[in-house]
């Protein structure tokens, strides 16, 4: 059965310049109730890996460097 | 016989599943009851920010505070709102413990709004009594609960999804099988009693936006607990009494009449007229909402544009910083300002939720399910309209009772065959190399729910819906997950699938209409008290089929006058009618 890979506009954006994941921070990843934020293997920074977001905002509120912005998912806007 | 090496096992006296609202309270209560007991709180997300109250709460929707109402008043109100079908004893137990729980939380540092004299600043939103207590600065509630968990040395396990409850040879609950959502490792917890606090089944229907996670409920509450209870042989009740809420269109969060109502806001039709007497969420109110949406006066709006600037600022402060804080962004994106525009509303997807409605796993006034040693609290259980405070009260009751139950028991012997078979079943989607993505399977189930099972309910439609769902049983063997996260979604999708079938089976069983829109059955438009003044219990029978039976309503502890019984039936504002 063939699998297609689709692009998706993700609601949560991390500012790589502000993110301090390389210092061991995992706060946003820890608090997300849907476990959709992960470390990006290429950049070492946090990013939204799965487009499965409740726009609930713990990730943004708890980030120590204000690196996270939660946007409303496109389908709802 | 020992378990294979790839399965780890842990023994605890009391296991609590779900660390949102009821769960942390249950864990603390179990420890308070028996400080020597080992108590584990197992959570699919992270207890620091999980569940419905992850960012705080706008207020207590059902506070029974002396001087404002009595437990008897409250029991009456909820009896009427539920068309008489409820376990009054359970609601009474809640009501009698409500005030004590508020004081407990207050002592712990949860902030509730008080008036100039230092008394709780109660607001009237319900049809008859006064039960709403605002908590505009309620952001820190999860932190406060977390501190309590630490203080009581509760063992917290985050990122584990419970998948099956285990039963011993005598039929008692004896733990659960879970999976790490990041590593896909199977983790068995053997326990002497189990409390389920897994929240509502909020991912059964599809939100109007089509976004799978744009649900009213926190989407981590997808019905795992409902499915687990069903699979282990517990009875569920009132599933045909769906949860359907009036929400902001597309945003799908509360509008929220409980906050804006006491400040002068209200639900209006497109002409700006009030059409419902009372904004308290009930099936009867939702029926009027639905009629207005469908009729020529729709859509329906939240009207605030007549309010004074300071009032609007107060509303914005609460609604845009607490509970669902991304709401302000949603409005900004569309250029909606409460000062100048009414805000479009809509109805939510269907769900099972005792917190707002009356559907869930059957529990009595002690929090016991029909399986010994298995307790349930909060949105997944069946004490109706329990909301946040009900989750706390019954969390506490279940935690204490589960600790007592555990004290009398030894650990059961592990059923190795069952556990290894479950391991194979649970992990199967990751062993495949292609197949059906969990998101597509889930979308299809939920789309069928919307097409065929949401009200107005029609037998022929529900028949087709159930058949289409049953045909999807075949697809489960093709579910394909590339990593542990997709496996989590695959397992959730199977629980959602169970819940969807339950919605159909329970709805078709009750051949009458009741609870306004929640069970608006077109083929049987009248309420039939002669045959259907009873609970409908859904369960798995000995041959593995999903079946229903009736359960008589326990004698009332508070009688209703005849003129009170219909109070909620007259929801429509007369002049707008
Ligand atoms: C948007 C919104 C607004 C609300 N506003 C109010 C209000 O203003 N006032 C009020 O009184 N009530 C309000 N409520 C209702 C109230 O929040 C809930 O009734 C209450 O919090 C439910 O508590 P709970 O413990 O049952 O569920 P939750 O607090 O949601 O917790 C359930 C937990 O179980 C976990 N879980 C689920 N499945 C599994 C599994 N398989 N394994 C492990 N863990 C699992 C979840 O991750 C979650 O943490 C609101 C609800 C919502 C959704
Ligand atoms: S919380 Fe902020 S700093 Fe920490 S990993 Fe996430 S984005 Fe980076
Ligand atoms: S908004 Fe909520 S669901 Fe979305 S990434 Fe942040 S914490 Fe996760």
């Amino acid at each position: 059965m063939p699998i297609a890979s689709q692009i998706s506009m993700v609601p949560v954006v991390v500012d790589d310049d502000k993110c301090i994941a390389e210092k061991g921070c995992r706060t946003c990843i820890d608090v997300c109730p849907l476990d959709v934020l992960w470390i990006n293997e290429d950049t070492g920074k946090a990013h939204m890996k799965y487009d499965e977001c409740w726009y609930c905002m713990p990730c943004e509120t708890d980030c120590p460097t204000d690196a996270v912005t939660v946007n409303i998912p496109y389908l709802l806007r | 016989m020992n378990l294979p090496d790839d399965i780890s096992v842990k023994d605890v006296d009391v296991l609590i599943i779900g660390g949102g609202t009821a769960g942390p309270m249950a864990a603390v209560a179990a420890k308070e009851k028996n400080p020597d007991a080992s108590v584990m709180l197992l959570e699919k997300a992270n207890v620091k920010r999980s569940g419905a109250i992850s960012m705080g709460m706008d207020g207590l929707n059902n506070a029974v505070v002396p001087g404002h109402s009595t437990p008897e008043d409250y029991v009456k109100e909820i009896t009427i709102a539920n068309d008489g079908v409820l376990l009054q004893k359970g609601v009474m137990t809640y009501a009698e413990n409500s005030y004590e729980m508020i004081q407990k939380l207050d002592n712990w540092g949860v902030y509730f709004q008080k008036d100039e004299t230092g008394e709780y600043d109660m607001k009237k939103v319900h049809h008859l009594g006064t039960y709403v207590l605002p908590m505009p600065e309620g952001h820190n509630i999860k932190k406060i609960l977390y501190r309590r968990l630490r203080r009581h040395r509760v063992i917290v396990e985050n990122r584990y999804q419970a998948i099956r409850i285990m039963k011993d040879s005598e039929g008692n609950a004896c733990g659960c099988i879970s999976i790490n959502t990041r590593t896909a490792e199977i983790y068995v917890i053997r326990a002497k009693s189990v409390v389920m606090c897994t929240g509502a089944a909020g991912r059964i229907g599809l939100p109007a936006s089509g976004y799978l996670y744009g649900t009213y409920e926190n989407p981590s509450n997808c019905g795992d607990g409902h499915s687990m209870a069903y699979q282990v042989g517990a009875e569920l009740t009132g599933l045909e009494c769906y949860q359907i809420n009036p929400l902001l269109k597309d945003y799908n969060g509360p509008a929220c009449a409980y906050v804006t109502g006491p400040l002068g806001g209200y639900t209006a039709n497109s002409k700006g007229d009030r059409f419902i007497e009372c904004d308290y969420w009930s099936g009867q109110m939702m029926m009027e909402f639905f009629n207005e949406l469908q009729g020529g006066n729709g859509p329906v709006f939240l009207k605030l544009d007549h309010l004074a600037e300071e009032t609007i600022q107060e509303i914005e402060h609460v609604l845009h910083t607490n509970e669902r804080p991304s709401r302000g962004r949603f409005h900004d994106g569309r250029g909606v300002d409460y000062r100048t525009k009414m805000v479009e509303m809509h109805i939510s997807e269907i769900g099972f939720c005792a917190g707002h409605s009356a559907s869930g796993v059957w529990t009595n006034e002690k929090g016991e399910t029909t399986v010994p040693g298995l307790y349930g609290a909060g949105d997944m259980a069946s004490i109706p309209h329990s909301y946040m405070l009900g989750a706390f009260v019954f969390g506490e009751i279940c935690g204490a009772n589960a600790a007592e139950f555990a004290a009398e028991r030894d650990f059961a012997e592990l059923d190795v065959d069952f556990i290894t078979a479950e391991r194979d079943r649970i992990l199967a989607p990751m062993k495949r190399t292609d197949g059906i993505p969990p998101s597509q399977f889930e979308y299809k189930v939920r789309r069928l729910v919307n097409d065929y099972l949401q009200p107005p309910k029609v037998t022929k439609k529900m028949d087709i819906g159930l058949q289409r769902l049953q045909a999807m049983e075949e697809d489960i063997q093709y579910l394909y997950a590339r990593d542990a996260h997709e496996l989590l979604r695959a397992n959730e999708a199977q629980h959602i699938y169970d819940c969807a079938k339950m919605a159909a089976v329970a709805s078709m069983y009750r051949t009458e209409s009741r609870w306004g829109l929640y069970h608006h059955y077109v083929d049987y438009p009248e309420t039939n008290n002669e045959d259907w003044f009873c609970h409908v219990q859904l369960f798995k029978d000995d041959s593995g089929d999903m079946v229903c039976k009736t359960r008589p309503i326990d004698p009332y502890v508070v009688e209703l006058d005849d003129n009170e019984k219909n109070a909620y039936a007259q929801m429509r504002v007369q002049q707008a009618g």
Side-chain angles (χ1 to χ4, degrees):
Chain A
M1 204 180 293
I3 311 281
S5 97
Q6 283 180 328
I7 55 167
S8 180
M9 183 187 187
V10 297
V12 173
V13 186
V14 174
D15 182 339
D16 282 356
D17 294 337
K18 288 188 185 164
C19 174
I20 52 165
E22 70 280 4
K23 297 200 177 127
C25 182
R26 294 290 181 274
T27 300
C28 58
I29 296 170
D30 281 345
V31 295
C32 174
L34 295 171
D35 211 12
V36 293
L37 303 175
W38 290 63
I39 294 294
N40 183 336
E41 304 284 333
D42 298 333
T43 61
K45 307 285 185 177
H47 81 137
M48 182 167 237
K49 187 172 174 192
Y50 304 92
D51 180 7
E52 302 163 344
C53 177
W54 196 42
Y55 39 101
C56 52
M57 301 210 355
C59 53
E60 178 178 317
T61 307
D62 295 348
C63 171
T65 64
D66 285 334
V68 184
T69 306
V70 175
N71 298 303
I72 303 295
Y74 175 71
L75 291 180
L76 279 62
R77 261 182 239 164
Chain B
M1 203 161 113
N2 286 332
L3 281 175
D5 290 345
D6 62 337
I7 302 178
S8 40
V9 185
K10 168 119 184 147
D11 288 344
V12 293
D13 293 312
V14 181
L15 169 65
I16 321 274
I17 304 173
T21 311
M25 189 60 77
V28 169
K31 274 295 207 183
E32 279 172 349
K33 185 85 196 175
N34 180 2
D36 298 330
S38 53
V39 176
M40 180 191 282
L41 182 58
L42 189 84
E43 166 57 52
K44 187 154 72 167
N46 184 313
V47 292
K48 281 187 184 156
R49 285 294 198 186
S50 59
I53 61 170
S54 82
M55 293 298 281
M57 201 90 299
D58 290 343
L60 297 177
N61 290 347
N62 53 348
V64 184
V65 173
H68 296 275
S69 62
T70 63
E72 286 74 20
D73 294 335
Y74 181 77
V75 170
K76 272 191 188 177
E77 179 109 27
I78 300 305
T79 303
I80 301 164
N82 275 290
D83 284 349
V85 177
L86 78 173
L87 178 70
Q88 265 201 353
K89 268 186 287 178
V91 177
M92 181 56 98
T93 302
Y94 161 72
E96 287 171 345
N97 288 283
S98 164
Y99 187 57
E100 221 170 286
M101 181 55 74
I102 298 171
Q103 288 176 308
K104 179 172 193 164
L105 294 167
D106 199 338
N107 281 336
W108 286 4
V110 177
Y111 176 82
F112 300 105
Q113 193 162 297
K114 300 199 175 131
D115 62 18
E116 315 78 56
T117 63
E119 301 293 324
Y120 293 125
D121 191 7
M122 300 294 298
K123 309 282 182 198
K124 181 169 186 309
V125 173
H126 291 61
H127 203 34
L128 306 174
T130 300
Y131 302 105
V132 170
L133 174 55
M135 43 189 297
E137 305 304 326
H139 322 291
N140 58 356
I141 188 155
K142 284 296 269 185
K143 262 199 195 110
I144 290 169
L145 290 174
Y146 190 66
R147 243 182 269 142
R148 292 281 148 178
L149 292 173
R150 303 281 306 249
R151 186 179 297 181
H152 286 281
R153 297 177 192 285
V154 170
I155 307 161
V156 174
E157 292 280 22
N158 291 313
R159 304 290 170 197
Y160 283 92
Q161 179 194 21
I163 296 197
R164 282 286 187 270
I165 304 291
M166 303 188 302
K167 246 201 297 207
D168 67 16
S169 51
E170 284 146 32
N172 301 302
C174 65
C176 87
I177 303 175
S178 74
I179 183 168
N180 184 303
T181 65
R182 288 179 174 169
T183 62
E185 279 160 305
I186 301 287
Y187 185 34
V188 170
I189 301 112
R190 185 159 65 157
K192 297 174 184 169
S193 61
V194 179
V195 185
M196 292 201 290
C197 305
T198 49
R203 253 158 75 197
I204 311 180
L206 193 60
S209 67
Y211 189 61
L212 284 177
Y213 297 83
T215 46
Y216 169 72
E217 293 291 345
N218 185 324
S220 79
N221 298 340
C222 62
D224 289 343
H226 298 74
S227 170
M228 280 191 283
Y230 171 75
Q231 296 293 354
V232 78
E235 288 176 19
L236 292 94
T237 193
L239 300 178
E240 69 284 13
C241 180
Y242 297 163
Q243 159 181 245
I244 305 172
N245 295 332
L247 303 177
L248 287 186
K249 178 91 168 60
D250 298 336
Y251 182 74
N252 225 16
C256 159
Y258 298 177
V259 172
T260 58
L263 296 168
Y266 56 89
T267 310
N269 60 23
S270 61
K271 297 176 183 152
D273 292 334
R274 218 188 255 271
F275 63 95
I276 34 179
E277 289 280 0
C278 164
D279 280 333
Y280 179 67
W281 295 0
S282 66
Q284 298 83 343
M285 178 272 200
M286 281 310 302
M287 191 73 226
E288 294 306 338
F289 194 111
F290 177 77
N291 287 340
E292 206 73 359
L293 270 181
Q294 301 296 315
N297 290 334
V300 171
F301 296 88
L302 173 68
K303 183 167 162 56
L304 303 172
D305 56 5
H306 57 291
L307 299 177
E309 175 61 26
E310 314 144 32
T311 312
I312 297 219
Q313 281 180 18
E314 187 181 343
I315 289 172
E316 282 176 339
H317 174 69
V318 176
L319 294 184
H320 300 180
T321 63
N322 211 19
E323 199 174 286
R324 297 295 274 133
S326 59
R327 173 177 179 150
R329 277 172 209 187
F330 173 73
H331 290 318
D332 287 346
R334 293 188 178 187
V336 169
D337 184 331
Y338 301 146
R339 290 162 190 81
T340 53
K341 260 192 200 163
M342 298 199 296
V343 189
E344 189 184 350
M345 292 176 68
H346 198 64
I347 59 178
S348 70
E349 62 283 355
I350 69 158
F352 300 148
C353 179
H356 299 84
S357 177
S359 36
V361 177
W362 173 265
T363 51
N364 63 15
E365 67 282 6
K366 295 182 192 139
E368 296 163 341
T369 68
T370 55
V371 171
L374 184 63
Y375 300 78
D379 285 354
M380 63 86 60
S382 66
I383 306 298
H385 295 228
S386 55
Y387 289 98
M388 179 174 68
L389 202 55
F392 282 135
V393 166
F394 271 96
E396 185 176 59
I397 290 169
C398 288
N401 289 343
E404 224 165 71
F405 189 91
E408 305 292 313
R409 285 182 71 196
D410 288 324
F411 286 111
E413 194 152 336
L414 288 172
D415 183 344
V416 176
D417 290 340
F418 175 73
I419 294 170
T420 46
E422 274 302 312
R423 173 201 59 190
D424 296 344
R425 185 189 67 82
I426 294 166
L427 295 177
M430 258 174 75
K431 305 274 188 246
R432 298 181 185 117
T433 50
D434 66 12
I436 301 169
S439 57
Q440 285 188 358
F441 180 87
E442 179 178 337
Y443 182 90
K444 190 159 165 177
V445 170
R446 293 172 62 184
R447 201 264 301 163
L448 289 173
V449 167
N450 279 29
D451 280 356
Y452 296 107
L453 304 182
Q454 71 183 359
K457 301 180 188 177
V458 176
T459 306
K460 190 72 201 160
K461 280 174 71 179
M462 292 194 286
D463 243 345
I464 298 173
L466 186 57
Q467 277 176 37
R468 295 284 316 274
L469 285 167
Q470 278 161 346
M472 285 183 74
E473 186 104 46
E474 279 294 297
D475 301 347
I476 291 173
Q477 59 184 315
Y478 300 112
L479 280 172
Y480 169 47
R482 291 170 299 180
D483 57 25
H485 182 82
E486 288 183 357
L487 186 64
L488 158 70
R489 298 293 180 237
N491 284 311
E492 289 180 339
Q494 293 173 65
H495 298 157
I496 292 167
Y497 173 75
D498 282 348
C499 289
K501 284 197 298 190
M502 291 188 225
V505 170
S507 291
M508 284 195 279
Y509 188 76
R510 186 183 278 280
T511 50
E512 63 152 359
S513 286
R514 194 177 284 272
W515 308 295
L517 184 64
Y518 299 162
H519 186 59
H520 171 40
Y521 199 159
V522 179
D523 309 39
Y524 307 93
E526 304 296 330
T527 299
N528 171 357
N529 278 326
E530 204 140 307
D531 300 322
W532 289 109
F533 189 73
C534 57
H535 303 281
V536 167
Q537 311 290 102
L538 179 145
F539 61 102
K540 186 161 141 174
D541 71 7
D542 293 339
S543 48
D545 288 330
M546 188 180 283
V547 293
C548 292
K549 64 179 183 192
T550 60
R551 181 196 158 104
I553 293 175
D554 282 20
Y556 278 180
V557 290
V558 181
E559 281 305 330
L560 267 61
D561 301 336
D562 277 343
N563 61 341
E564 289 170 326
K565 285 182 188 154
N566 288 324
Y568 270 69
Q570 296 136 19
M571 264 306 147
R572 175 157 284 266
V573 170
Q574 290 313 320
Q575 66 270 24

